[in-house]
Amino acid sequence: MNTPQIAIIVLHYKNLADTRACLQSLEKINYPSYSVILANNDADNHGKTLKDEFPEITLIQNESNVGFAEGNNAGIRAALKNSQTDAVLILNNDTEVEPGFLSAMASKLPPLTKGGIEGGYDMIAGHMMQYSDRDKIDNLGVVMMKSGLPFNRRDEKQELFCPSAGCALYTRKLLEAIAYERDGTTYYFDRTYFMYAEDVDLGFRARLLGFESGYAKDAVVYHKGSASSGKLSDLAVYSTYRNLIWTQYKNYPLTLFLRNLFWIVLGWELIFFGYLLKGRPLIIAKAIVDGLRGISTMKQKRSEIKKKRTADNRAIRSWFEQGIFPKNLL
């Protein structure tokens, strides 16, 4: 069986030392067929600096900070221009990888030729551990609750909804299926999101098309976490919850949304009161208000997703864990 050619995309924005350490760890991996694309959102000279230090990488220089979604879109477009690329791996720049991580992830892909291992997955989550405490799980992908709220999956017994884009492997087949075009440009992550929850949206769209998620237990990655935006910063809170409203609107079939409406509304109420108790009501209120205001701009996307959907409501219900929040949230 042929070895899949994988393009690894690392998005850089500030934190030069983190990106350098990530690229250094990628030089040590034992997978034979891969390339590295550095998508640079920084307007400074970091791109040239890193290209000089790592001449084998392909550098994509964006004109400005176009966000996580569009920054990675630029990398994906470059990766898929190469007809030899079979899959694309999105990897946070604040990660370091074990040498065998990519081989472990590639082993979960569908076979490239007949006679290979049956099965395989078109989107695969890695085994992300906390960088500062390497015995503690960061995430094993994303778990989606009945409330429509996604959380880091920290238990292998939980239903895997989709990969976290901190370390996510997608096949060319999946990316081409979920892509959409605007003004002659192809997009994969929803560029409107800018940052946060774009991986959940992409995963939701893929699952509605019948793609399944896999998990590579031996693909160990160490994640520093929120290095660019600050952990639980106002930007993170605002972007996450605004974008989740758009994700729910775009992807939920109406009948399933109505069926789970009680849990969805209760989830949002608890989120709001949680931030109220934390003394941060304004930022979560702004996220909710702007999310609701922005729904009108998502109508065309919802319509396009609805037309393509192949998964039925029974299958979709099976993707969700019971409850509003995971039991192991704390």
Side-chain angles (χ1 to χ4, degrees), residues 23-69:
L23 295 175
Q24 288 172 341
S25 73
L26 289 175
E27 288 185 319
K28 301 173 184 177
I29 64 178
N30 57 23
Y31 189 74
S33 303
Y34 77 98
S35 59
V36 177
I37 296 173
L38 181 72
N40 186 24
N41 270 357
D42 241 334
D44 59 23
N45 214 31
H46 287 179
K48 183 179 183 305
T49 298
L50 291 166
K51 177 64 174 175
D52 288 344
E53 293 180 19
F54 304 92
E56 297 301 316
I57 67 173
T58 297
L59 176 64
I60 305 296
Q61 179 62 55
N62 295 315
E63 294 182 1
S64 61
N65 179 17
V66 293
F68 184 92

Side-chain angles (χ1 to χ4, degrees), residues 130 136-138 143 145 147 149-155 158 241 270-271 278 324-330:
Q130 292 187 12
K136 192 171 182 180
I137 292 172
D138 181 274
V143 59
M145 306 306 296
S147 59
L149 297 173
F151 294 90
N152 284 338
R153 177 173 174 260
R154 294 197 172 97
D155 188 335
Q158 292 174 312
Y241 291 107
L270 292 176
I271 290 291
K278 293 176 183 179
I324 300 171
F325 306 116
K327 294 179 181 178
N328 61 354
L329 179 62
L330 301 177

Side-chain angles (χ1 to χ4, degrees), residues 151-164:
F151 294 90
N152 284 338
R153 177 173 174 260
R154 294 197 172 97
D155 188 335
E156 294 179 9
K157 296 178 181 179
Q158 292 174 312
E159 181 73 22
L160 173 62
F161 182 73
C162 69
S164 160

Side-chain angles (χ1 to χ4, degrees), residues 176-192 201 204-210 246-247 249-253 295-311:
E176 291 178 344
I178 57 89
Y180 68 96
E181 290 194 9
R182 295 291 185 274
D183 301 322
T185 301
T186 304
Y187 301 94
Y188 305 92
F189 292 110
D190 190 331
R191 61 173 179 167
T192 314
D201 172 65
F204 210 145
R205 287 185 278 135
R207 299 216 60 174
L208 290 173
L209 291 177
W246 295 345
T247 298
Y249 172 76
K250 285 167 56 182
N251 295 291
Y252 257 100
I295 280 179
S296 62
T297 67
M298 297 289 157
K299 287 183 178 180
Q300 181 181 353
K301 293 174 183 177
R302 175 177 171 80
S303 177
E304 292 171 353
I305 292 167
K306 182 179 179 181
K307 289 178 182 178
K308 292 181 178 180
R309 176 166 72 99
T310 61

Side-chain angles (χ1 to χ4, degrees), residues 25-312:
S25 73
L26 289 175
E27 288 185 319
K28 301 173 184 177
I29 64 178
N30 57 23
Y31 189 74
S33 303
Y34 77 98
S35 59
V36 177
I37 296 173
L38 181 72
N40 186 24
N41 270 357
D42 241 334
D44 59 23
N45 214 31
H46 287 179
K48 183 179 183 305
T49 298
L50 291 166
K51 177 64 174 175
D52 288 344
E53 293 180 19
F54 304 92
E56 297 301 316
I57 67 173
T58 297
L59 176 64
I60 305 296
Q61 179 62 55
N62 295 315
E63 294 182 1
S64 61
N65 179 17
V66 293
F68 184 92
E70 181 54 18
N72 278 299
N73 282 338
I76 295 171
R77 286 191 288 264
L80 296 186
K81 279 184 179 179
N82 181 353
S83 62
Q84 301 303 308
T85 300
D86 298 302
V88 172
L89 184 124
I90 307 297
L91 184 68
N92 272 12
N93 72 315
D94 62 341
T95 61
E96 295 181 26
V97 304
E98 289 286 355
F101 102 102
L102 192 56
S103 295
M105 296 199 78
S107 72
K108 300 294 182 180
L109 289 169
L112 292 179
T113 60
K114 293 181 179 180
I117 300 172
E118 293 184 1
Y121 301 92
D122 287 279
M123 53 181 170
I124 300 162
H127 186 100
M128 299 188 75
M129 305 296 289
Q130 292 187 12
Y131 183 86
S132 58
D133 184 351
R134 299 196 171 194
D135 293 323
K136 192 171 182 180
I137 292 172
D138 181 274
N139 78 76
L140 311 176
V142 175
V143 59
M144 181 72 83
M145 306 306 296
K146 192 173 182 179
S147 59
L149 297 173
F151 294 90
N152 284 338
R153 177 173 174 260
R154 294 197 172 97
D155 188 335
E156 294 179 9
K157 296 178 181 179
Q158 292 174 312
E159 181 73 22
L160 173 62
F161 182 73
C162 69
S164 160
C167 178
L169 182 61
Y170 303 106
T171 63
R172 172 187 285 272
K173 178 181 177 181
L174 181 148
L175 291 169
E176 291 178 344
I178 57 89
Y180 68 96
E181 290 194 9
R182 295 291 185 274
D183 301 322
T185 301
T186 304
Y187 301 94
Y188 305 92
F189 292 110
D190 190 331
R191 61 173 179 167
T192 314
Y193 284 36
F194 193 75
M195 60 191 305
Y196 293 105
E198 60 279 291
D199 50 356
V200 179
D201 172 65
L202 187 152
F204 210 145
R205 287 185 278 135
R207 299 216 60 174
L208 290 173
L209 291 177
F211 293 101
E212 296 184 0
S213 295
Y215 161 60
K217 183 176 181 178
D218 296 326
V220 179
V221 177
Y222 303 105
H223 184 214
K224 298 173 185 177
S226 302
S228 296
S229 61
K231 192 172 184 179
L232 294 178
S233 66
D234 282 354
L235 175 61
V237 171
Y238 172 79
S239 299
T240 296
Y241 291 107
R242 180 200 64 181
N243 295 348
L244 283 179
I245 290 175
W246 295 345
T247 298
Q248 290 178 352
Y249 172 76
K250 285 167 56 182
N251 295 291
Y252 257 100
L254 180 59
T255 53
L256 185 59
F257 181 82
L258 294 175
R259 183 186 179 112
N260 289 351
L261 184 59
F262 171 80
W263 299 103
I264 293 170
V265 172
L266 184 57
W268 280 104
E269 288 177 345
L270 292 176
I271 290 291
F272 177 79
F273 284 112
Y275 278 96
L276 181 64
L277 292 175
K278 293 176 183 179
R280 304 174 72 184
L282 295 181
I283 192 63
I284 190 65
K286 179 174 172 55
I288 293 172
V289 169
D290 287 353
L292 293 173
R293 285 177 176 171
I295 280 179
S296 62
T297 67
M298 297 289 157
K299 287 183 178 180
Q300 181 181 353
K301 293 174 183 177
R302 175 177 171 80
S303 177
E304 292 171 353
I305 292 167
K306 182 179 179 181
K307 289 178 182 178
K308 292 181 178 180
R309 176 166 72 99
T310 61
D312 60 31

